[in-house]
Amino acid sequence: MAFEVIKHLIGLDRTEHLKRTAVTLFVLSFFCGHIIPSVVLLLLILTPLYPFVVLYLAWVLVFDWKSPKSGFFWPWVRRSDYIRRARLFDYLRDFFPISLVKTTDLDPSKNYIFAYHPHGVFAVGCFANFATEATGFSQTFPGLTIWCMTFPLVFSAPVVRELLMLLGVRSVCESGCRHALSLGPGHSIGIVPGGTKDMLEARPGSAKIAIKRRKGFVRIALESGADLVPVYSFGENELYDQPRSTFLRKMQRWCTYRFGMSYPFFQGEELCRMLPYRQAIHTVGKESFKLCTM
């Protein structure tokens, strides 16, 4: 079996290897995004470069800790369209592939909240559409500036937090959402209301979304005057299967209740079952609608 896998990988062309590399890095970032940078910084402390490590950590902890949710220290400096257009994200897009389907024009003088469903295991469609230009969001919706909102805990990882902010990723906490929408006309946010609960239900053939008790984004839309844009990604739940073990589900629910998040137990098709199934993801946004402002 292992020989057949190696033979298959050797037979792939360079572009196919790059696609698999991009997806592998994306998946590994969820599990090693905190560990690897932290270990590297600890090792650098033992070298003559330790003053730079100390200065960086002091900067983060004392001055920059709230930047992901408050936009402190010039959010436009922290966001890089050059990084968002990196070729690596094109390979990530082409692996599945991922497409963004436009069904209506959006007025660039307004603010929008793109409510993305479902989360899937890794929300790869949300990342590709809102945190990169791989699917051409800026060309599809000219005049809009999208900020991709994610779980606040990821910004506790050194170095990774800087890369995320370069991609225009912000904390999904209430203050982070409000600040992004307040930056001016056209500034919009992309969020996944289902979060961890959606993630635990993600499996092929499932279309369950957790929305009943997740209406904070509706309140923000009411108070800020932003329009809501329902977004559904067909194929997001088809990328991985998850075991239906009762024990594992109970453990995941306990972690979600205790820590606000849980890691999925998933299986794909290649590289120790880590790579997702190659299922096309079609992200479709419906016509926006405005709620009565409070």
Side-chain angles (χ1 to χ4, degrees):
M1 181 65 179
F3 176 76
E4 292 296 329
V5 171
I6 294 173
K7 183 178 179 181
H8 171 68
L9 292 176
I10 292 176
L12 298 176
D13 60 19
R14 177 176 176 273
T15 301
E16 198 61 35
H17 278 298
L18 289 172
K19 291 178 184 179
R20 282 169 163 75
T21 300
V23 175
T24 302
L25 291 174
F26 177 80
V27 174
L28 288 177
S29 68
F30 280 82
F31 298 99
C32 307
H34 281 70
I35 299 173
I36 295 179
S38 300
V39 171
V40 171
L41 288 180
L42 286 174
L43 294 176
L44 287 176
I45 289 178
L46 305 177
T47 72
L49 296 175
Y50 77 91
F52 297 99
V53 177
V54 173
L55 286 174
Y56 169 70
L57 294 178
W59 160 262
V60 171
L61 296 174
V62 177
F63 298 104
D64 199 48
W65 188 254
K66 294 183 179 180
S67 286
K69 61 181 179 181
S70 66
F72 194 49
F73 286 108
W74 317 291
W76 283 110
V77 176
R78 307 295 286 270
R79 178 189 174 103
S80 170
D81 286 339
Y82 177 79
I83 299 297
R84 287 171 58 89
R85 291 186 170 90
R87 182 64 176 157
L88 177 69
F89 303 129
D90 292 339
Y91 291 121
L92 175 67
R93 173 202 64 204
D94 294 340
F95 177 85
F96 297 96
I98 303 171
S99 62
L100 178 62
V101 181
K102 179 180 179 179
T103 59
T104 184
D105 292 327
L106 296 178
D107 186 352
S109 66
K110 297 181 179 180
N111 304 106
Y112 299 92
I113 297 178
F114 290 82
Y116 182 97
H117 305 282
H119 185 287
V121 173
F122 291 126
V124 61
C126 181
F127 177 82
N129 287 303
F130 299 151
T132 79
E133 288 295 331
T135 58
F137 183 92
S138 296
Q139 289 73 39
T140 306
F141 300 105
L144 296 188
T145 300
I146 188 73
W147 300 89
C148 184
M149 316 305 285
T150 191
F151 194 65
L153 183 62
V154 302
F155 293 100
S156 63
V159 181
V160 172
R161 67 191 303 277
E162 318 302 334
L163 295 175
L164 289 174
M165 284 190 279
L166 284 172
L167 293 172
V169 180
R170 305 284 289 276
S171 172
V172 77
C173 63
E174 183 176 349
S175 60
C177 293
R178 292 184 185 278
H179 183 270
L181 292 170
S182 69
L183 291 174
H187 285 267
S188 306
I189 60 174
I191 65 173
V192 188
T196 303
K197 288 188 176 181
D198 251 16
M199 178 185 70
L200 300 182
E201 298 294 338
R203 58 178 53 88
S206 172
K208 292 182 180 179
I209 59 174
I211 195 67
K212 186 175 182 181
R213 297 185 179 179
R214 306 206 167 213
K215 300 178 181 139
F217 70 100
V218 177
R219 185 181 71 252
I220 293 174
L222 282 168
E223 296 175 351
S224 67
D227 288 12
L228 286 176
V229 181
V231 179
Y232 195 90
S233 256
F234 297 91
E236 183 75 62
N237 277 348
E238 310 298 320
L239 305 184
Y240 288 101
D241 198 5
Q242 296 193 72
R244 294 167 173 77
S245 167
T246 304
F247 172 75
L248 291 179
R249 293 304 300 274
K250 286 182 178 179
M251 187 169 65
Q252 288 174 319
R253 290 192 181 108
W254 180 86
C255 289
T256 303
Y257 173 79
R258 183 68 179 82
F259 305 108
M261 65 174 295
S262 174
Y263 279 109
F265 296 95
F266 62 89
Q267 58 182 24
E269 63 176 350
E270 291 183 17
L271 195 61
C272 301
R273 296 288 185 176
M274 187 174 65
L275 290 187
Y277 299 115
R278 301 193 76 162
Q279 169 68 42
I281 300 174
H282 302 291
T283 303
V284 182
K286 296 296 289 181
E287 185 176 356
S288 67
F289 61 92
K290 190 173 186 64
L291 303 174
C292 297
T293 56
M294 298 177 64

